[in-house]
Amino acid sequence: MGAITYIQAISDGLREEMRRDDSVFLLGEDIGIYGGAFKVTKGFIEEFGPERVIDTPLAESAIIGVSIGAALMGLRPVAEMQFADFISCAFNQVVNNAAKIHYRWGASVPMTIRCPSGGGVHGGPYHSQNNEAWFFHTPGLKVVAPSTPYDAKGLIKSAVRDPNPVLYFEHKFLYRRIKEELPEEEIIVPIGEGDIKREGRDITIVTYGSMVHVSLEAAETLANEGIECEIVDLRSILPFDKAMILDSVRKTNRVLIVHEDVLTGGIGGEISAVISEEAFEQLDAPIMRIASIDTPVPYSPPLEEFFLPNKEKVINALRKLAAY
Amino acid sequence: MKVDVVMPQLGESVAEGTVVKWMKKPGDSIAMDESILEITTDKVDSEIPAPAAGTLVEILTQEGETVAVGTPIARIETEAGATAVPSRPSSRDTSVHDGSDRPGTKVVVYRRPGAVTAKKPTTGKRFYSPLVRSIARTEGISAVELESVAGSGDRGRVTKKDILAFLDARGAATAISPALAAPAMARPAGPVEEIPMDRMRKAIAEHMIRSVQTSAHVTSISEADVSAIVRFREKFKDPFRRQEGISLTYTPFFAKAVVKALKEFPLLNSSLDGDRILLKRAIHLGIAVSLDDGKGLIVPVIRDADEKNFLGLAKTIVDLSNRARIKKLVPDEVQGGTFTITNPGIFGGLIGTPIINQPQVGILGTGAIVKRPVVINDAIAIRSMMYLSLSYDHRIIDGAMGTLYLQRVVQYLESFDPKELGWNVR
């Protein structure tokens, strides 16, 4: 079996879950006959029929509302937001209904919301955002953001099986750019567990999603300068793997947090706070963050390049940290 | 309200203290600032005043116990509405020793107002990361030791790598010394008396090893003809004692010459901080005082020695060394020295090769004054001669400067002029 793309891995994971469990069904805009805006669900309507692959009106609130109702009735809906940016239309359904039903009435809401997110694809302010932090702040939700085909497949399967509402942030830039050979056997990546994508002794980089790859490239450059970075890929953002972060910090004593979401109010601030609360005495340098700048995502390609974190920005921060 | 009495920090490098004696017992009522216990540290004994008025309700540290600075050692229940000064580990909490409890001695307050805040020119400036601080604490690295660690980080900051390298070096050193004393290897066949090292001994041992490891020691030796000083002292020692109440020793003569020469060679009055040299404007002169029966060594410090006249130096030296011998110095009097004089001559030694008192860079050893035949103008004369040995840190002071400085001290001693002393028989 050859290497498969990140988008293929999501597709495969969904298909496996639908074959495994009849209660799993998909709903979203143009996911059926058209196969999805990015073709994640291409061929699904043919295999599973229009009752399990439902084309919906352009109404995110309705998509999530239907999903919540179906989940309460014992089904396992997987809702697709065509772009993560559009989820704001369903914000109340997500944060006040899906997130709080179990707390309020003790009922399980086993649903997955797929959120194609991220920039670097010149999509402009409404098709490029990384809005995971909106939900990171909402107890009752789970939020994941895979960076590799392996994790993408393993996490979509865990999300479908989870008894809680899970927001699954899949990065559009990675869809067809990242390939990986996957093992034949079933892949399950537990929610809440991070993954060390590179081991190193000098600096810990805490990151997730597309920035894992940017960080890996930067770490490669730094390795040539004798500085070994350890890359903690969170994979799950809520809950995040605190133990893994702290273990790595205790080893390297220096931390850089990298995310593609904008800096202010991004999850990097929370991770930084946890590190300084729980590992203050292990820090040999200030915790640093690299993120997008605090503006809407620019449509202009050169401006978007300026806006996004990139290898050079990460390398500069790492050099600064190493020299501190 | 209950107020904690905590173990105060009696000095920069002091991390712990031992309770010697409780002067109050639970149930006793106490006034604010009344002395309630005696404590001892490496070099200083001190009475600790109560931080609040009230009743001593609990003693948490018994006599003989040693606890870390900042540890609560007792609790005082204050009367309702009474205000309490928060007890804090500060040297300011100790009473100023002004000598007033010793009748017949003129009261001299050696601590200038503001001396407490003006101390430690380098310590407060340096930033240590939380990690470096926690490593220092776990590994028992003192503040003074930490100051000696060279930093390779941004603006000379001590990094994790630096402190680990320091620990490695120190580990190597301590690995050697126990080996020397290892019973299995070194214990002779016959009966052996085992003497545990006391706190001061341990502190000296640690400091000496560290100094040798830290500085590139070089010792230069010069000879001085001090006949004029000897003549002066012989002539005036009795009137001096009658008039001033103290004996006239040679030390203030040496101190005066050393300080004058330091003014001209400021590098000898410096410290090395990472890759920066810190020239110290103030001259705080340490005088090594050996305790009776070879039971240790204390180096009290004459603050601003360059601002004192001969009589002031003489009196300060006598007072400090007297109180050093009875362990009655206050913390500030044993800290912050910038150069040291040690006197092997007092025991008849001709020449010593002293070890630098860190973080200073120079120490002068004064040998015994003996009459020797010397050649003057091609004639042989009997003169009072002494050897001066200067150990200095070759990392920043080269042989030329070290020797030139030493020669300047010699010059000042040889050109001694009683008129410049500013002291006369009244």
Side-chain angles (χ1 to χ4, degrees):
Chain A
M1 208 176 105
I4 66 159
T5 57
Y6 180 93
I7 195 168
Q8 185 65 45
I10 300 169
S11 231
D12 290 354
L14 280 174
R15 194 178 299 105
E16 283 178 23
E17 288 308 291
M18 290 183 78
R19 285 176 185 166
R20 185 187 59 81
D21 181 354
D22 287 345
S23 70
V24 180
F25 75 101
L26 314 183
L27 70 170
E29 297 156 4
D30 284 334
I31 65 164
I33 294 163
Y34 188 63
F38 298 98
K39 306 295 175 193
V40 172
T41 50
K42 192 179 163 199
F44 275 53
I45 196 165
E46 288 79 4
E47 178 174 352
F48 301 105
E51 292 199 331
R52 292 183 68 196
V53 185
I54 304 170
D55 275 322
T56 66
L58 302 185
E60 282 74 16
S61 183
I63 297 172
I64 302 299
V66 165
S67 298
I68 293 170
L72 283 171
M73 297 309 291
L75 298 179
R76 289 186 178 262
V78 179
E80 179 183 298
M81 300 288 100
Q82 196 168 70
F83 286 84
D85 313 65
F86 306 161
I87 198 172
S88 51
C89 296
F91 198 69
N92 184 59
Q93 293 286 18
V94 177
V95 303
N96 277 333
N97 294 329
K100 291 180 176 65
I101 284 172
H102 184 254
Y103 174 81
R104 187 64 179 79
W105 293 288
S108 177
V109 185
M111 61 185 277
T112 302
I113 308 173
R114 286 183 39 238
C115 307
S117 64
V121 291
H122 314 319
Y126 302 115
H127 299 81
S128 307
Q129 295 174 82
N130 295 275
N131 43 15
E132 60 273 10
W134 298 349
F135 305 99
F136 180 64
H137 188 60
T138 306
L141 298 177
K142 291 187 178 183
V143 180
V144 300
S147 68
T148 63
Y150 184 98
D151 293 341
K153 187 171 179 186
L155 278 170
I156 192 69
K157 289 165 74 84
S158 290
V160 168
R161 295 179 194 190
D162 201 274
N164 302 285
V166 178
L167 280 86
Y168 180 92
F169 282 86
E170 47 194 71
H171 202 288
K172 300 189 295 287
F173 187 82
L174 303 181
Y175 271 163
R176 295 182 168 81
R177 286 182 175 83
I178 302 297
K179 286 186 177 181
E180 190 179 8
E181 291 247 7
L182 296 188
E184 293 288 342
E185 62 269 24
E186 183 165 55
I187 297 169
I188 295 287
V189 171
I191 294 176
E193 281 185 19
D195 185 37
I196 305 282
K197 286 290 192 286
R198 181 190 174 106
E199 286 198 28
R201 56 166 197 272
D202 297 321
I203 300 175
T204 295
I205 305 176
V206 180
T207 186
Y208 59 93
S210 64
M211 287 302 121
V212 169
H213 303 282
V214 169
S215 301
L216 280 166
E217 286 174 35
E220 202 56 46
T221 305
L222 267 286
N224 296 329
E225 300 170 15
I227 297 155
E228 293 294 341
C229 299
E230 176 149 301
I231 297 179
V232 175
D233 177 2
L234 292 178
R235 304 196 293 193
S236 287
I237 297 171
L238 186 67
F240 62 85
D241 197 338
K242 199 158 90 174
M244 181 177 283
I245 296 171
L246 294 176
D247 280 350
S248 182
V249 172
R250 287 191 189 100
K251 178 163 91 171
T252 63
N253 314 105
R254 290 167 198 238
V255 191
L256 176 68
I257 300 164
V258 187
H259 57 60
E260 194 188 301
D261 189 9
V262 295
L263 184 73
T264 302
I267 74 150
E270 179 62 26
I271 290 171
S272 170
V274 165
I275 294 170
S276 57
E277 279 171 2
E278 304 203 15
F280 181 71
E281 299 202 340
Q282 294 298 319
L283 290 173
D284 200 26
I287 301 165
M288 291 178 70
R289 288 177 297 163
I290 289 289
S292 289
I293 58 177
D294 289 334
T295 72
V297 185
Y299 179 70
S300 146
L303 281 182
E304 188 183 23
E305 241 171 75
F306 176 75
F307 163 90
L308 290 171
N310 57 31
K311 185 180 158 186
E312 279 61 47
K313 291 181 188 176
V314 173
I315 286 173
N316 287 341
L318 289 172
R319 286 195 182 129
K320 222 161 139 187
L321 259 183
Y324 182 81
Chain B
M1 191 182 102
K2 279 201 175 78
V3 174
D4 281 347
V5 181
V6 301
M7 178 59 72
Q9 174 136 31
L10 295 178
E12 280 308 309
S13 61
V14 178
E16 54 185 26
T18 306
V19 173
V20 176
K21 190 170 155 239
W22 283 101
M23 298 149 93
K24 297 282 174 184
K25 55 183 190 304
D28 286 358
S29 63
I30 46 186
M32 173 117 162
D33 286 339
E34 187 182 359
S35 293
I36 53 173
L37 79 154
E38 270 177 41
I39 62 166
T40 181
T41 66
D42 293 355
K43 295 202 167 179
V44 177
D45 292 344
S46 203
E47 289 183 3
I48 305 303
T55 308
L56 184 67
V57 287
E58 203 178 349
I59 285 179
L60 303 167
T61 304
Q62 302 307 319
E63 290 177 5
E65 276 183 55
T66 303
V67 295
V69 166
T71 309
I73 53 181
R75 284 213 177 91
I76 295 169
E77 177 80 56
T78 59
E79 283 125 47
T83 52
V85 178
S87 175
R88 67 207 135 81
S90 152
S91 53
R92 247 180 286 193
D93 285 337
T94 61
S95 53
V96 173
H97 202 292
D98 61 7
S100 55
D101 56 343
R102 282 169 291 139
T105 318
K106 230 165 137 186
V107 174
V108 185
V109 180
Y110 293 111
R111 274 167 46 148
R112 292 174 300 135
V116 173
T117 44
K119 70 186 176 183
K120 55 162 187 176
T122 56
T123 332
K125 296 265 181 272
R126 233 174 153 192
F127 167 80
Y128 299 108
S129 72
L131 177 73
V132 167
R133 283 180 189 280
S134 59
I135 292 176
R137 198 180 49 240
T138 335
E139 299 292 335
I141 298 172
S142 69
V144 174
E145 274 183 294
L146 200 51
E147 260 185 87
S148 74
V149 179
S152 67
D154 190 23
R155 283 159 288 160
R157 191 184 72 84
V158 175
T159 65
K160 170 190 178 184
K161 211 180 273 175
D162 298 331
I163 196 160
L164 292 181
F166 171 83
L167 276 176
D168 275 353
R170 192 172 75 159
T174 44
I176 293 165
S177 39
L180 290 175
M185 292 168 62
R187 187 182 277 256
V192 169
E193 188 190 355
E194 240 179 53
I195 304 167
M197 279 168 44
D198 60 19
R199 293 169 60 82
M200 181 185 283
R201 192 74 259 153
K202 283 184 198 158
I204 294 174
E206 185 271 324
H207 185 91
M208 291 302 125
I209 283 292
R210 188 166 55 75
S211 181
V212 169
Q213 276 170 359
T214 304
S215 297
H217 279 77
V218 186
T219 306
S220 294
I221 293 161
S222 287
E223 194 181 23
D225 179 341
V226 289
S227 305
I229 294 175
V230 172
R231 269 199 306 276
F232 177 86
R233 180 176 171 271
E234 288 307 318
K235 189 169 168 192
F236 290 108
K237 63 182 181 189
D238 292 333
F240 189 88
R241 176 184 292 283
R242 273 198 303 278
Q243 191 170 310
E244 310 299 344
I246 54 170
S247 46
L248 181 58
T249 68
Y250 287 115
T251 315
F253 295 92
F254 302 149
K256 198 77 200 163
V258 159
V259 166
K260 271 165 81 178
L262 280 179
K263 287 272 190 193
E264 295 164 54
F265 293 82
L267 204 57
L268 270 292
N269 198 57
S270 71
S271 279
L272 189 53
D273 177 15
D275 53 4
R276 292 174 307 165
I277 296 166
L278 308 175
L279 289 183
K280 297 167 189 168
R281 297 254 160 77
I283 297 177
H284 302 318
L285 187 63
I287 306 282
V289 175
S290 132
L291 301 189
D292 297 340
D293 314 326
K295 277 195 181 141
L297 177 73
I298 293 184
V299 186
V301 173
I302 308 169
R303 302 244 148 218
D304 299 306
D306 53 327
E307 293 173 10
K308 291 195 190 309
N309 64 12
F310 179 82
L311 184 60
L313 283 174
K315 290 198 167 178
T316 309
I317 289 165
V318 166
D319 171 62
L320 288 175
S321 33
N322 283 345
R323 285 192 288 120
R325 291 195 178 96
I326 54 171
K327 282 185 88 184
K328 285 290 176 196
L329 293 169
V330 300
D332 268 4
E333 291 171 330
V334 293
Q335 290 168 6
T338 59
F339 188 93
T340 299
I341 297 179
T342 181
N343 185 3
I346 210 166
F347 309 107
L350 280 184
I351 301 172
T353 58
I355 293 176
I356 292 167
N357 188 7
Q358 296 295 331
Q360 301 165 23
V361 294
I363 180 167
L364 183 79
T366 53
I369 298 172
V370 290
K371 284 191 173 174
R372 265 201 295 272
V374 291
V375 177
I376 298 173
N377 296 331
D378 283 350
I380 293 173
I382 297 170
R383 307 289 292 179
S384 292
M385 303 299 292
M386 70 180 292
Y387 291 111
L388 296 162
S389 47
L390 175 75
S391 293
Y392 50 95
D393 191 341
H394 208 328
R395 287 182 302 171
I396 59 171
I397 298 161
D398 297 331
M401 179 178 286
T403 311
L404 283 173
Y405 170 77
L406 186 56
Q407 281 307 114
R408 189 58 51 91
V409 175
V410 169
Q411 233 171 46
Y412 283 133
L413 290 174
E414 293 189 340
S415 63
F416 167 74
D417 180 355
K419 285 197 284 293
E420 284 172 20
L421 275 192
W423 181 85
N424 278 306
V425 184
R426 284 196 294 270

